[in-house]
Amino acid sequence: MASSDRAEVISRADLPYVLLVHGHTGSGPRHWQSWLAGELGRAGGIVDVPQFAEPDHPNLEVWLSELTHHLEAAPDATERVVLAHSCGALLWLHHAARLAGAHEEARLRFDRVLLVAPPGPRWHEPDVHGFTPVPLDAGGVRRAAAWTQLVVGDNDEACSVDEAVDMAAALKIDLDVIPGGAHLDAEAGYGPWPAVLDWMSDRHTRLVPA
């Protein structure tokens, strides 16, 4: 099914509110997040694509504050979905681990989250501050969203398959592994990614190569 056909299928259903969380250096026009925002926008969806402060030198505390602002601004009359890439996925895990209290959980809780290519525990980037080590809090992940899923490439230099398996097991979430997917970014050929649009319609969809 062509991406335009997929968008038409989505447009006939109740569209979710979608928050796209970029990683280190941001997501440029060739990135799947930009493509997805365009597809959902054409279908009439509400898509939030924030630009976090200093994407080339991200600071965890600054990004957490900005993320909270966007979560608080999300409408609550529709399904709420987060798709986070790379350091954005680590950001979500820090956010989930810090949730405290029933009121905060209810206010910030989302329905679905897709964590795409989070860096593993051996990854180090000197321009990224405070994101590692990342807390793997299964209870926090469940408080932050009703459903969370992880997808990685089997040849990602930032996270091995074994590290991804350990992460998924610790968080008690589903894992999809993409053959040859690398870091699942524009450089790996992940601009248009029809499977992620299918996932928007059905969380049980398995993520497959672009």
Side-chain angles (χ1 to χ4, degrees), residues 4 10 13 25 77 95 114 136-137 141 147 154 178 186 189:
S4 60
I10 293 175
T25 74
H95 157 73
L114 183 63
L136 300 179
D137 183 343
V141 164
W147 174 268
D154 70 353
I178 305 290

Side-chain angles (χ1 to χ4, degrees), residues 17-21 48 50 52 63-76 80-83 91-92 95-96 99 104-113 144:
Y17 166 84
V18 178
L19 174 62
L20 298 174
V21 181
D48 187 5
F52 292 101
W63 278 30
L64 276 171
S65 176
E66 294 176 336
L67 175 64
T68 299
H69 171 76
H70 287 275
L71 297 177
E72 290 175 336
D76 56 11
R80 309 197 301 179
V81 180
V82 170
L83 295 98
L91 175 68
W92 182 263
H95 157 73
L99 278 179
E104 185 177 37
E105 291 171 27
R107 181 169 53 91
L108 301 179
R109 182 176 172 83
F110 267 53
D111 297 286
R112 282 191 284 154
V113 174

